[in-house]
Amino acid sequence: MSDEAPSKNGEQTNGEDPSAVDGNPEARIAALEAERNETKDRMLRVAAEFENWKKRARVTQAEAEAAARERVLKDLLEIADNLERATEAGGDGASVLKGVTLVLRLLQQKLERHDVKPFEAKGQPFDPRLHEAISRVESADVPSGSVAVELQKGYRIGEKLLRPAMVSVSTGPKSAATPATPEG
């Protein structure tokens, strides 16, 4: 049988004689205050544990971000080293071009390892979500509203846009049918 006995209103008490608690208001108040204090202490412990968990989670996240940043930067340092070697070596233009081409290939491999890939913009319909238009150009070869010139490649990391392509958008072929009028 349980130590707890039901009170007059059906509640359980902590093994106290219900008639003693019901008959003595001071005892009932003391019991309720003790229960309140115990509940308050429990809630304070839970709140403290939650705050500690949040601090640990922030530290873990910061450490993971730092480790990821470190991996990417180490890859880029290898490329910087190769570029420094190419500039220090000097030599003729062909050998420097060959060295820079090799470094560019290495950089592209490093970017792909981190799931960073360029996307094609030239000839595509202009999309403000993927392209940053900096000018408009007349072009008989490219339809109006499409990318005529890609000035800077755009990149995605996975499916997310990392950097939009910087482009010039075609206005279509030069129109000879519209003569200049004095009204403008």
Side-chain angles (χ1 to χ4, degrees), residues 28-45:
R28 176 79 174 144
I29 290 171
L32 290 173
E33 285 177 347
E35 185 178 335
R36 181 201 63 204
N37 290 340
E38 182 182 322
T39 302
K40 182 179 175 183
D41 288 344
R42 236 185 357 251
M43 297 313 261
L44 288 173
R45 281 192 300 276

Side-chain angles (χ1 to χ4, degrees), residues 167-184:
V167 299
S168 292
V169 180
S170 173
T171 59
K174 186 173 186 176
S175 176
T178 54
T181 59
E183 295 92 39

Side-chain angles (χ1 to χ4, degrees), residues 41-135:
D41 288 344
R42 236 185 357 251
M43 297 313 261
L44 288 173
R45 281 192 300 276
V46 167
E49 287 174 13
F50 181 65
E51 284 302 315
N52 289 337
W53 175 83
K54 285 188 340 185
K55 288 176 187 174
R56 284 191 309 272
R58 279 193 293 267
V59 167
T60 302
Q61 181 181 2
E63 288 172 352
E65 288 174 0
R69 187 172 36 253
E70 206 173 287
R71 283 191 306 272
V72 171
L73 293 174
K74 281 182 181 178
D75 279 348
L76 294 177
L77 288 176
E78 185 179 344
I79 294 163
D81 293 341
N82 287 335
L83 285 172
E84 285 176 0
R85 281 188 217 106
T87 57
E88 289 171 1
D92 62 8
S95 63
V96 171
L97 180 60
K98 183 179 177 185
V100 170
T101 302
L102 291 172
V103 172
L104 177 60
R105 192 174 311 135
L106 176 65
L107 175 59
Q108 290 167 337
Q109 290 169 352
K110 300 289 184 181
L111 289 173
E112 283 188 24
R113 182 187 315 162
H114 296 284
D115 205 22
V116 176
K117 296 176 183 162
F119 59 87
E120 188 64 34
K122 189 172 180 179
Q124 301 295 317
F126 176 75
D127 183 347
R129 296 171 297 175
L130 300 174
H131 307 126
E132 181 179 339
I134 62 162
S135 66

